[in-house]
């Protein structure tokens, strides 16, 4: 493992979201690490902060003042913002600290995804100390030397919910000390994907509902929260695996939030065209910057399309109806045996929202079902169907 801080970094919202924000800095301004760069318009305490000391290169807003990205050029010798922590032992004070320090966008909520509302109180919180996706770095390795901070962060999270804080880990010694942790519970999952998928853990232990949101947080982020509470400074680095068949060698690096994917793969990519993904080979998406919740970078050879076939050949070989979905043991295993795979995929494909809700769709996000898409050859587009269904449910049922 090596420390690699890229010369540029990009502040961006969670994948698939574009929140309305108010910019706090102008292009060309010098900023400290942790300085607020943008605030949510409807919740000004929730900030997107600079991951390193530097200078603002550009700010890109979409229509309606929706955040696309803010690019920072790093500079050495800059300052780090220190937040007051005197009231972090109270729930309002803790929320305010997490939101102003830039921690809030690292939390994922279910249903629907994205970060939670500033005043949301979840039914449970899942701390993911396991990651079974291909080539994922081991969260336990990321926690080395941060055990006390991790425990402090867990105790803090328990103030934000009346339910249980579940710590999901591989079989082995528990990461937490049971003393004084009556609402913190260790649960074990297998080492094969998708047994460590957050959505499947949530579905099995505390299903999310329209009125019962559930959060999930990476274990390393919980340790960083513990450090923030102790020092007033939120560390902005994380353990990231750089993998993929287009690389000459793999890397395990500690880099900053929003790191430049090109900077992390420079000099180790095979010649030729390639695609940079923020995320795993299963659920990653093409990106320039490391997404807020991602711990993987995948580099794959870019597929080159051959000459287009004649229109008559295409017409004769292309079916007018979708390819049939064939139930199999592999498809069942792609859902960890926790959801009836064939019936669930059928509900997704037909747009049967009510049936899918009864089967647990509100606990799931796109990365939870990415393995099923892979098993079906990528032709089912389950992730797109899931996102469309969740957006429709939010509009029709959660209004």
């Amino acid at each position: 493992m090596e420390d690699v801080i890229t010369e540029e970094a990009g502040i961006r919202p969670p994948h698939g979201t574009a929140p309305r924000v108010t910019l706090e800095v102008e292009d060309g301004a010098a900023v400290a690490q942790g300085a607020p760069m943008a605030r949510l318009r409807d919740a000004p305490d929730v900030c997107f902060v600079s991951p390193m000391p530097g200078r603002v290169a550009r700010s890109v807003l979409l229509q309606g003042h929706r955040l696309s990205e803010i690019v920072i050029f790093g500079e050495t010798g800059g300052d780090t913002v220190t937040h007051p922590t005197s009231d972090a032992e109270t729930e309002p004070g803790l929320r305010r600290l997490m939101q102003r320090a830039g921690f809030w966008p690292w939390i994922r909520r279910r249903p629907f995804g994205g970060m939670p509302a500033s005043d949301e109180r979840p039914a449970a919180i899942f701390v993911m100390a396991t990651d079974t996706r291909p080539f994922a770095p081991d969260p336990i390795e990321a926690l080395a030397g941060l055990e006390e901070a991790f425990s402090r962060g867990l105790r803090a999270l328990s103030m934000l919910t009346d339910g249980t804080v579940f710590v999901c880990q591989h079989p082995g010694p528990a990461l937490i000390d049971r003393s004084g942790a009556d609402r913190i519970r260790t649960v074990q999952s297998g080492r094969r994907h998708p047994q460590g998928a957050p959505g499947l853990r949530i579905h099995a232990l505390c299903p999310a509902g329209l009125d019962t949101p559930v959060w999930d947080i990476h274990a390393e982020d919980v340790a960083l929260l513990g450090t923030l509470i102790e020092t007033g400074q939120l560390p902005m680095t994380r353990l990231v695996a750089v993998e993929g068949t287009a690389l000459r060698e793999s890397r395990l690096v500690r880099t900053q939030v929003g790191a430049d994917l090109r900077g992390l793969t420079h000099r180790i990519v095979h010649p030729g065209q390639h695609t940079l993904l923020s995320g795993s080979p299963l659920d990653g998406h093409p990106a320039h910057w490391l997404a807020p919740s991602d711990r993987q970078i995948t580099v794959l050879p870019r597929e080159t399309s051959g000459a287009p076939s004649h229109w008559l050949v295409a017409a004769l070989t292309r079916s007018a109806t979708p390819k049939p979905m064939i139930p199999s043991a592999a498809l069942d295993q792609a859902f960890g045996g926790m959801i009836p795979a064939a019936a669930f995929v059928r509900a997704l494909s037909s747009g049967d929202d009510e049936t899918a809700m009864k089967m647990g769709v509100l606990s799931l996000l796109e990365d939870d079902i990415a393995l099923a898409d892979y098993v079906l050859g990528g032709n089912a587009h389950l992730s797109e169907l899931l996102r469309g269904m969740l957006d429709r449910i939010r509009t029709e049922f959660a209004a």
Side-chain angles (χ1 to χ4, degrees), residues 131-333:
D131 192 340
T132 55
R133 287 172 291 189
F135 310 121
D138 187 354
I140 303 300
E141 185 174 350
L143 293 177
L146 298 174
E147 292 80 6
E148 291 187 9
F150 180 65
S151 297
R152 190 182 305 111
L154 285 177
R155 292 192 297 270
L157 289 178
S158 66
M159 292 195 294
L160 303 181
T161 177
D162 294 324
T164 302
V165 177
F166 293 94
V167 180
C168 303
Q169 65 170 91
H170 294 317
L175 292 174
I176 59 174
D177 180 2
R178 294 298 306 158
S179 59
D182 54 330
R183 287 192 297 111
I184 301 176
R185 174 185 165 193
T186 296
V187 293
Q188 297 185 344
S189 63
R191 296 179 179 272
R192 297 182 63 181
H193 197 59
Q195 294 173 327
L200 296 180
R201 296 283 86 207
I202 291 170
H203 173 71
L205 297 168
C206 184
L210 295 176
D211 299 318
T212 52
V214 176
W215 298 354
D216 72 272
I217 310 174
H218 194 279
E220 184 179 16
D221 290 343
V222 176
L224 302 185
L225 173 61
T227 302
L228 169 64
I229 294 170
E230 181 184 25
T231 66
Q233 297 182 353
L234 179 62
M236 300 298 289
T237 59
R238 55 185 44 174
L239 190 65
V240 175
V242 184
E243 301 278 353
T245 54
L247 295 178
R248 292 198 299 267
E249 61 183 56
S250 301
R251 304 176 75 184
L252 186 63
V253 301
R254 185 165 292 281
T255 190
Q256 78 267 46
V257 176
D260 180 7
L261 304 192
R262 298 170 305 176
L264 291 177
T265 56
H266 183 57
R267 298 182 185 277
I268 62 172
V269 180
H270 284 301
Q273 295 183 335
H274 57 273
T275 300
L276 289 170
L277 304 179
S278 179
S280 78
L282 291 175
D283 55 45
H285 50 275
H288 190 151
W289 316 109
L290 183 66
S293 61
D294 285 341
R295 258 75 183 181
Q296 290 178 260
I297 298 168
T298 305
V299 189
L300 300 175
R302 185 174 300 173
E303 296 182 0
T304 55
S305 57
S309 59
H310 190 276
W311 67 268
L312 180 59
V313 175
L316 292 174
T317 57
R318 184 177 65 245
S319 172
T321 58
K323 294 181 180 180
M325 186 275 298
I326 301 176
S328 64
L331 186 60
D332 286 332
Q333 292 174 3

Side-chain angles (χ1 to χ4, degrees), residues 67-150:
L67 178 63
S68 175
E69 66 177 16
I70 303 174
V71 180
I72 308 294
F73 287 153
E75 294 183 353
T76 58
D79 295 329
T80 300
V81 173
T82 301
H83 299 269
T85 60
S86 56
D87 59 349
E89 295 183 359
T90 67
E91 181 187 345
L94 176 63
R95 284 180 180 269
R96 189 160 49 246
L97 175 64
M98 293 169 66
Q99 291 167 8
R100 292 180 178 177
F103 186 90
W104 210 251
W106 300 355
I107 304 171
R108 292 200 309 175
R109 63 100 62 185
R110 296 147 195 273
F112 312 129
M115 59 181 151
S118 60
D119 58 350
E120 182 173 276
R121 193 167 181 85
I125 299 175
F126 282 71
V127 174
M128 302 309 299
T130 177
D131 192 340
T132 55
R133 287 172 291 189
F135 310 121
D138 187 354
I140 303 300
E141 185 174 350
L143 293 177
L146 298 174
E147 292 80 6
E148 291 187 9
F150 180 65

